Amino acid sequence: MRSLGLQSAADLLNGNIGIYKGSIYENLIADSLIKHFKDLYYYRKTDSLEIDFVTSCQSEITLLEAKANDGRAKSLKEVLTNKAKYNVTRNYKLYNGNVIDGDPIKQVPLYMAMFL
């Protein structure tokens, strides 16, 4: 396990997954969405603009960002400030928190990915 940067198996069992937490969350979200027959795409324009998941919800292009922590969704904000350029209105930040029907970003708990 040291090759993954984990201190020991005990760390893993205690939830200390370090820098891999975000990758694990993204994989769990992808698994949930695929099991609900969502086609998933990834968008990357530059090193600073990437969207974790591009899919369709209720016949609309939908952007999804998975955050292991309550991090900022910088790429989502960038896309949403240029709505005419990207033609996207539906978006969600999936994170470890409560539902926030914010404007412009809707924030939902990670476990709710299956309902999108």
Side-chain angles (χ1 to χ4, degrees):
M1 287 205 193
R2 293 195 188 278
S3 64
L4 294 177
L6 300 174
Q7 296 297 314
S8 67
D11 281 343
L12 181 61
L13 293 173
N14 289 323
N16 300 328
I17 53 180
I19 63 172
Y20 301 101
K21 189 175 183 180
S23 298
I24 292 169
Y25 278 37
E26 286 177 12
N27 278 284
L28 291 170
I29 297 300
D31 183 62
S32 177
L33 294 169
I34 288 169
K35 285 179 179 174
H36 287 87
F37 308 103
K38 295 287 186 188
D39 292 325
L40 300 180
Y41 301 92
Y42 169 81
Y43 179 75
R44 180 177 180 178
K45 182 175 179 185
T46 63
D47 287 340
S48 63
L49 179 61
E50 63 177 336
I51 302 294
D52 295 333
F53 303 104
V54 179
T55 191
S56 169
C57 290
Q58 299 177 353
S59 301
E60 289 186 43
I61 297 171
T62 304
L63 306 180
L64 305 172
E65 279 286 314
K67 296 292 180 189
N69 299 312
D70 189 19
R72 295 176 302 186
K74 186 172 75 171
S75 293
L76 268 182
K77 288 179 185 175
E78 172 70 23
V79 170
L80 295 172
T81 57
N82 295 298
K83 286 183 181 183
K85 180 178 179 180
Y86 293 101
N87 196 26
V88 173
T89 56
R90 186 178 292 261
N91 66 86
Y92 298 94
K93 178 176 102 172
L94 297 148
Y95 76 119
N96 191 19
N98 294 320
V99 173
I100 299 174
D101 191 12
D103 184 36
I105 299 173
K106 312 290 186 258
Q107 300 179 66
V108 295
L110 292 159
Y111 70 86
M112 290 184 71
M114 69 180 127
F115 300 115
L116 300 177

